[in-house]
């Protein structure tokens, strides 16, 4: 039998509304018991949002029902998370990345980290395409750990897909590693996510090692003083013509100064 991994907000909302009315309770009274706004209760009952998973046991207690009664045909994964039995459930039931991603907006951050770690434990690194939708819901430490692994994998040039969720410190660590290995094309994909001082440091390092052509793609991300430094060094070493690849990124004042230094 195919496992269900969807949840129905409308169904859960109707169930909450029915149970509240059965208790002869207003939305405001239910909200007061839960320590939330009555607008939140209204949104649940309309099917616009779902209760925070930490509120489900409290709701069940107020209505004298089980969390399963509240969630209806939601996935076993979600029901077990509501009961605090996520790890045990994943030990004995097959869970897919798709199912975990589907319920991610309802899980607490530590539950997401726990579920993701369990799902990927002792398994090959999943493709970036498979985990892209789950990234906003897992903790930064876990994302950083993944980024370091992807940096050494065949998907390294697609790391920009995960970069918005990775700390700058880790991205700089990866970029430095790639610079040492001469993988400059991979670094270029990370440039929008690096601090300008880190990009300047990398660009100067790569320029000294490889020359001006290898830093051409870095130029749009560099501060003017770093561009000027590279241009001056290249002009001194190889002549004014050698800076042709980077001239579009230099301001007029810098170009005029280089011409004066060279010919006047």
């Amino acid at each position: 039998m195919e496992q269900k991994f969807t949840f129905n907000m409308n169904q859960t909302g109707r169930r909450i509304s029915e149970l509240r009315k059965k208790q002869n309770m207003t939305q405001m009274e239910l909200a007061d018991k839960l320590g939330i706004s009555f607008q939140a209760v209204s949104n649940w009952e309309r099917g616009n949002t779902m209760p925070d998973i930490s509120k489900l046991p409290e709701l069940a207690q107020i209505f004298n029902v089980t969390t399963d009664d509240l969630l209806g045909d939601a996935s076993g994964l979600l029901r077990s998370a509501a009961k605090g039995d996520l790890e045990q459930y994943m030990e004995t039931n097959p869970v897919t990345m798709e199912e975990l991603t589907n319920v991610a907006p309802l899980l607490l951050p530590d539950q997401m980290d726990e579920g993701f770690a369990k799902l990927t434990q002792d398994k090959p690194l999943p493709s970036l395409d498979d985990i892209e939708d789950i990234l906003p819901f897992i903790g930064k430490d876990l994302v950083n750990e993944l980024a370091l692994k992807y940096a050494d994998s065949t998907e390294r040039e697609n790391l920009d897909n995960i970069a918005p969720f990775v700390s700058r410190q880790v991205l700089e660590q990866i970029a430095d590693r790639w610079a040492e290995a001469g993988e400059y094309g991979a670094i270029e994909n990370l440039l929008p996510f690096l601090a300008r001082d880190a990009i300047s440091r990398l660009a100067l390092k790569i320029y000294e090692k490889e020359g001006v052509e290898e830093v051409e793609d870095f130029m749009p991300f560099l501060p003017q003083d770093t561009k000027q430094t590279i241009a001056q060094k290249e002009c001194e070493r190889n002549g004014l013509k050698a800076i042709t690849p980077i001239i579009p990124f230099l301001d007029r004042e810098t170009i005029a100064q280089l011409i004066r230094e060279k010919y006047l």
Side-chain angles (χ1 to χ4, degrees):
M1 182 177 179
E2 185 179 358
Q3 183 179 14
K4 292 182 179 180
F5 50 82
T6 60
F7 61 87
N8 189 320
M9 290 196 297
N10 288 325
Q11 181 187 67
T12 301
R14 286 195 300 270
R15 183 63 174 149
I16 292 172
S17 178
E18 291 168 0
L19 291 168
R20 174 181 62 78
K21 292 172 183 176
K22 189 175 181 179
Q23 295 280 339
N24 197 28
M25 189 183 302
T26 67
Q27 288 183 344
M28 183 69 77
E29 287 173 327
L30 178 58
D32 287 343
K33 287 180 179 291
L34 294 168
I36 59 175
S37 69
F38 79 90
Q39 289 93 338
V41 174
S42 177
N43 280 327
W44 296 347
E45 295 187 0
R46 291 173 182 270
N48 294 332
T49 61
M50 280 284 288
D52 187 297
I53 199 166
S54 64
K55 293 292 184 184
L56 292 177
E58 194 173 352
L59 268 171
Q61 185 176 13
I62 290 171
F63 295 144
N64 195 28
V65 297
T66 67
T67 53
D68 286 352
D69 290 331
L70 286 174
L71 292 170
D73 63 355
S75 76
L77 179 67
L78 184 58
R79 292 198 301 272
S80 66
K83 299 173 186 175
D85 297 330
L86 182 68
E87 184 176 2
Q88 182 179 351
Y89 179 86
M90 295 187 71
E91 288 282 357
T92 55
N93 294 272
V95 175
T96 66
M97 188 68 71
E98 186 178 7
E99 180 178 5
L100 185 62
T101 301
N102 186 266
V103 301
L106 303 179
L107 298 185
L108 299 173
D110 60 346
Q111 290 178 319
M112 277 302 305
D113 284 1
E114 177 187 344
F116 186 88
K118 187 70 178 174
L119 192 58
T120 57
Q121 183 179 7
D122 301 325
K123 294 180 181 178
L125 195 63
S127 73
L128 282 168
D129 286 342
D130 288 342
I131 69 165
E132 187 173 354
D133 291 337
I134 211 170
L135 293 176
F137 303 103
I138 58 179
K140 178 150 283 188
D141 289 343
L142 188 52
V143 177
N144 286 341
E145 182 183 330
L146 283 169
L148 290 169
K149 291 179 180 178
Y150 284 116
D152 294 326
S153 76
T154 56
E155 292 199 62
R156 61 172 61 86
E157 292 195 4
N158 296 320
L159 195 63
D160 53 319
N161 292 337
I162 196 176
F165 305 99
V166 182
S167 69
R168 278 187 169 178
Q169 182 179 5
V170 169
L171 289 177
E172 289 175 14
Q173 179 182 340
I174 291 170
D176 283 334
R177 185 192 305 175
W178 286 346
E180 289 295 327
E183 298 183 35
Y184 309 127
I187 296 174
E188 291 164 12
N189 294 333
L190 296 186
L191 293 178
F193 308 101
L194 298 177
R196 296 182 79 189
D197 60 344
I199 299 174
S200 293
R201 177 175 51 78
L202 284 165
L204 290 168
K205 182 178 182 179
I206 293 171
Y207 168 73
E208 293 295 343
K209 186 177 179 181
E210 302 290 350
V212 72
E213 291 186 357
E214 286 294 347
V215 296
E216 184 177 349
D217 290 331
F218 284 66
M219 298 301 284
F221 302 93
L222 294 174
Q224 194 60 41
D225 59 343
T226 304
K227 296 176 185 178
Q228 185 174 351
T229 297
I230 292 173
Q232 284 179 323
K233 287 186 176 184
E234 184 64 14
C235 196
E236 290 169 3
R237 294 171 183 177
N238 299 304
L240 193 60
K241 188 176 181 180
I243 67 169
T244 300
I246 62 172
I247 281 181
F249 306 103
L250 303 176
D251 59 29
R252 291 184 178 183
E253 183 179 346
T254 298
I255 296 171
Q257 180 182 337
L258 291 171
I259 293 173
R260 287 194 300 268
E261 290 174 356
K262 196 67 178 176
Y263 295 110
L264 299 181

